[in-house]
Amino acid sequence: FEQLCINYTNELLQQYFNEVIFDHEAALYARERIAWNAEDFPDNKAIVELLAGASDGQRRQRRSLGGGPSGQVAQLVGVLPMLDEEC
């Protein structure tokens, strides 16, 4: 469990770094009119969501998109919230 917490923290730090640095770089490239592909930059959002689950805003957005006869999309539950429920 301790290693999972360490990995999760590292992924959050990496996500923050990616957002700050790559957003800054994207703005710089736009100012200097440098052609680039956004896919060149890593995105670990899927890993963070897998561990933490989707945020409330993401869940609401998924529900509003519909899906299936009831109009609701299954909520994503992360590893950490599942562990919290079990403890």
Side-chain angles (χ1 to χ4, degrees):
F1 180 74
E2 290 175 11
Q3 187 62 50
L4 176 65
C5 291
I6 291 168
N7 291 349
Y8 175 64
T9 303
N10 287 337
E11 291 299 331
L12 285 177
L13 288 170
Q14 183 66 45
Q15 185 178 42
Y16 177 75
F17 175 83
N18 290 349
E19 288 173 1
V20 171
I21 297 301
F22 296 132
D23 285 349
H24 173 74
E25 289 296 310
L28 178 64
Y29 288 1
R31 271 197 319 270
E32 295 183 4
R33 295 187 177 98
I34 298 172
W36 66 283
N37 185 352
E39 293 175 9
D40 291 343
F41 297 119
D43 182 12
N44 66 341
K45 184 189 295 188
I47 295 168
V48 171
E49 284 185 0
L50 173 68
L51 294 172
S55 70
D56 289 339
Q58 292 164 329
R59 282 189 218 120
R60 280 192 296 270
Q61 181 181 15
R62 285 189 179 98
R63 269 191 243 123
S64 69
L65 294 175
S70 67
Q72 290 188 351
V73 175
Q75 292 183 3
L76 295 179
V77 178
V79 172
L80 295 176
M82 286 190 313
L83 289 173
D84 186 43
E85 284 181 15
E86 294 299 318
C87 294

